[in-house]
Every structure is written in structure tokens, then in C-alpha cells.
Amino acid sequence: MQQRLNFNFPCPIRFGAGVIDELADHLLAQGLKHPLIVTDPVIADLDFFKDIVESLKNKNLAVDVYSEMHKNPVKSDVLKGGDFYHNSVCDCIVGIGGGVALDVARAIVLRINHHRDLFDYDDLIGGDKYVTEDVPYFVTVPTTSGTGSEVGRSAIISEDESKKKRILFAPKLMARQVFADPELTMGLPSHVTAATGMDALTHNMEAYLAKNYHPMCDGIALEGMALIAKSIEKATHHPDIQSRSDMLLGSMMGAIAFQKGLGVVHSLAHPMSSLLDTHHGLANAVNLPYGMAFNYNGFEARFDKMAEFLGVIDGDGEHVVDYLFELNQRLELPTQLRDVGVKEEHLEPLAQLAIQDFAHPNNPKPVSLDDFRSLYQKAY
Ligand SMILES: [Fe+2]
């Protein structure tokens, strides 16, 4: 071992049914009095969300709620949220929701004391070097089990006009505390549970296969796969608190593991969201078996290990791809691109976008433009 490496693990996570009850006392213990809660407009209307706001007010916290954001959030959503924080004289930020709400919350955290143009902080142009100022105390509360954004340190925000996705990234943007309460995910509809759960499974599988050296992430990814494989069907069709707990843990483990990198499946999925507005989890679910079939040769031992943790028959890696096709069917998810609105004329533009994506350079084997063409063709 001649390499010198950095291993980073995330923030404190308070986990378990009912832990959301501890949020008010946690903020008060930090000397905080006026949280800005950032959530999406759908969640802002739900009863459990109103209960959270009420519980904070009952402890004499002043609470403001910001929920103006697009489905694919844009820069102006973040700027308005930053102005709202300053005008309301808030002293901390609590993000409650799925990936979108938590990304917007995290971008507002950055915005508060950083006044350059928001996209000067874009990680892909080295913008993290400007993230030098203090940021407000930041708490995340996930309400889905998919992206694992609650334990992340980046936010994907699009340009208002072009819709081009930009990545804001800095270790300072990590939550100071996560409250992961599986009860908040109990009401998720079955199709959302299935699609977001397959996103989380994809994170664990792609992270495990990613070519960077990171045995700690490998261990987390394998156990994350096991939790999801055990509970995704139950959580989708007959949810109980145990299956919801497994899914929430499995999704956080996927997000912790993918600091190691992702791979070809995410590069197949990302263009479908930007070009056709396909749900990210759904796009991963459909592409996962095809991407894994592409990766199998040369990585048989890794597939055997995944088969063991996924509970695949005989623990034989050769059966992982069939297992994934069958899992999609059992979850009532589509198994072909044509079933999610992709048309034949989309395949070439999708391939042209996929080759530019940031995820596949970490795939265990190189992926060429022709590989993307052939993968989309097969999945179509
Ligand atoms: Fe993902």
C-alpha cells in the first residue's frame, strides 16, 4: 500500500421511530431560537409536517417555512430562500423532505454568508475553494428512502434558463445533525417507495463496484444492499416500521458509500431526467439490470459477493442480473425504456449526453459512446 488516502464519514445521525420529537430540544440546546424550515410544496401541506412545525412552536421556537422550489430546483429558488432567511432574521436551517428539498436547503445554507454568484461555487469549476465563510447550523430530516441527501455534502441546482445542472459541494455543507425517523416515511406511496428504493439499491451496488479503493465504503455498501434486498418488497406492498427502518438505513448507507463513486447506471439515468424529466429512481431501476450485465465479465468475484448479500439463489454472481429483472417485476416497475416514455429517436441524444456524465469514469470498466448506444438499445 503506497497510496495516501482520505476517508471521510458523515455527520451525527439520530435514528429511530419517533426521534423527530427531539428536534426542538436539540435546537434549543444549541442556543438556536428561529429555524428556517426548508421543504417542498407537497410536504408543506401534509399533516406530519404541520405537526413538526407545531411541536417547535410549542417549545417557543419562532418558525418560518420556505417551500418555493421547482421539481428540478433552480438558482432563483435558492436566492429567494436566502433572502427569506435574512429578512426573517433566522438563526439556523432545518431541511425536511426528499432529495430536492434537502438540496435546496443545503444550497441556502451556502448562500447565507457566501455572496458571489451562486454558480461560482460550482464544484466542477473548482468553486469549493470559495466556500470559506461560516455557514448556519444545519439539520436534515429525510422523508424518503432514496437519495440519502441528508448525509451528503453536495446540492444539485439547475440554471434557471438552460436547466443545466450544477453541483455545489463542500464539506461545510454537511448537516451538523440528521434526524432520521422512519415514521416520517410510513405514508410514502408504493410506486415512490419502489422507485426511490431502487435508486438506493443502485447507489450501494455502483459504489461497491466503483473502481476507487475504499474498503470501508465497500463494507457499508454490501450491508446496505442486504437491508434493501430484505425489505424493499415489504416496504413497497405492505409497509411496516421495520421495513421502513431498513430502507431508510439502506438509503443513507448508499449515500455514504457512493463517496467512493458511482458508475454506468447513473450515467444512463441522468440524461433521461434532463432530457425527458424521467424520475431519477425510475430511470435507475430500469437501467440497473442492463448496466450490471455490462459490468459482469471480469468482475465475477465482486458479483458473487453481491449475490451473497442480496440473497440471490446459490450466491452465484451470474444470477444477479436475473434477480434485478425479477425484482423490478415484483415491485411493478417497468423493465424497458419504451415503458417509461423513451422513443427510438431519443436513444442517440441520450447516448451523447451519457458519455459526458460525471458518474461513469468511476465505473469498474471504461464505457464508450458505442457502449452507451448499445446499452440504451438493449434497454429499449
Ligand atoms: Fe441516485
Side-chain angles (χ1 to χ4, degrees):
M1 276 294 293
Q2 295 297 320
Q3 282 169 294
R4 297 184 181 193
L5 302 159
N6 290 313
F7 297 136
N8 290 289
F9 281 85
C11 32
I13 300 168
R14 181 74 169 152
F15 179 84
V19 296
I20 192 65
D21 295 349
E22 301 171 17
L23 175 59
D25 286 337
H26 176 83
L27 296 175
L28 290 167
Q30 316 303 317
L32 300 165
K33 297 186 173 66
H34 192 161
L36 176 67
I37 300 189
V38 179
T39 194
D40 68 50
V42 175
I43 290 178
D45 251 351
L46 299 179
D47 285 341
F48 81 76
F49 179 80
K50 293 174 187 163
D51 290 346
I52 295 172
V53 172
E54 213 45 46
S55 73
L56 298 184
K57 287 182 175 166
N58 287 341
K59 294 266 185 169
N60 292 323
L61 287 154
V63 181
D64 275 290
V65 176
Y66 179 74
S67 63
E68 274 183 60
M69 60 188 72
H70 293 77
K71 226 173 75 184
N72 283 313
V74 292
K75 177 174 159 185
S76 59
D77 298 333
V78 176
L79 301 187
K80 277 188 214 160
D83 291 345
F84 190 78
Y85 179 98
H86 285 302
N87 294 337
S88 309
V89 202
C90 296
D91 58 13
C92 60
I93 293 179
V94 179
I96 301 180
V100 169
L102 298 184
D103 275 11
V104 173
R106 182 169 289 115
I108 295 173
V109 165
L110 168 67
R111 180 69 192 160
I112 299 310
N113 294 324
H114 292 84
H115 304 299
R116 301 176 73 101
D117 184 275
L118 187 68
F119 292 141
D120 283 358
Y121 304 100
D122 184 337
D123 185 47
L124 296 179
I125 54 171
D128 62 323
K129 67 174 176 282
Y130 298 124
V131 185
T132 51
E133 306 302 316
D134 286 341
V135 298
Y137 196 85
F138 180 36
V139 174
T140 53
V141 181
T143 62
T144 64
S145 298
T147 66
S149 176
E150 59 275 11
V151 296
R153 60 200 85 182
S154 63
I156 297 184
I157 304 292
S158 298
E159 293 174 5
D160 281 72
E161 297 298 316
S162 71
K163 305 294 179 224
K164 183 172 178 230
K165 289 189 194 308
R166 311 287 294 256
I167 302 178
L168 308 171
F169 168 95
K172 280 189 179 190
L173 304 183
M174 207 153 31
R176 300 284 292 278
Q177 177 72 47
V178 181
F179 284 94
D181 185 339
E183 274 181 5
L184 302 180
T185 69
M186 283 304 291
L188 274 182
S190 63
H191 66 281
V192 180
T193 305
T196 52
M198 288 304 284
D199 182 29
L201 181 61
T202 307
H203 294 156
N204 282 296
M205 295 184 77
E206 293 215 284
Y208 180 66
L209 292 173
K211 67 182 184 190
N212 291 335
Y213 179 74
H214 204 317
M216 293 186 194
C217 284
D218 290 349
I220 291 171
L222 286 169
E223 195 59 33
M225 275 177 238
L227 286 169
I228 293 170
K230 178 177 135 223
S231 289
I232 190 167
E233 284 177 76
K234 178 112 174 121
T236 298
H237 298 306
H238 308 286
D240 59 6
I241 201 72
Q242 184 60 52
S243 57
R244 291 297 194 191
S245 298
D246 290 345
M247 293 305 293
L248 187 53
L249 274 171
S251 71
M252 287 192 288
M253 292 163 84
I256 292 166
F258 80 56
Q259 60 177 293
K260 186 187 166 205
L262 289 167
V264 62
V265 182
H266 270 76
S267 288
L268 289 163
H270 287 148
M272 290 172 61
S273 301
S274 31
L275 204 68
L276 306 167
D277 226 13
T278 313
H279 181 276
H280 174 67
L282 192 61
N284 274 318
V286 179
N287 285 301
L288 181 58
Y290 301 96
M292 288 297 140
F294 175 81
N295 280 336
Y296 179 71
N297 286 332
F299 295 90
E300 291 84 352
R302 293 234 134 199
F303 274 74
D304 284 347
K305 197 70 159 172
M306 290 199 291
E308 181 190 333
F309 279 78
L310 291 166
V312 170
I313 298 280
D314 307 330
D316 183 345
E318 224 185 326
H319 297 149
V320 166
V321 172
D322 287 340
Y323 164 86
L324 294 170
F325 275 118
E326 285 159 22
L327 182 59
N328 273 339
Q329 281 164 353
R330 289 201 298 273
L331 297 171
E332 292 164 27
L333 290 168
T335 54
Q336 289 184 299
L337 295 183
R338 64 179 72 222
D339 300 330
V340 291
V342 176
K343 305 243 173 349
E344 186 131 33
E345 65 262 30
H346 295 138
L347 300 183
E348 181 59 25
L350 285 171
Q352 295 291 343
L353 285 170
I355 192 68
Q356 299 170 46
D357 187 71
F358 62 87
H360 70 82
N362 274 316
N363 197 64
K365 60 174 80 166
V367 197
S368 68
L369 179 58
D370 272 342
D371 291 329
F372 278 116
R373 287 183 177 126
S374 120
L375 278 162
Y376 279 130
Q377 192 66 51
K378 280 185 190 138
Y380 178 72

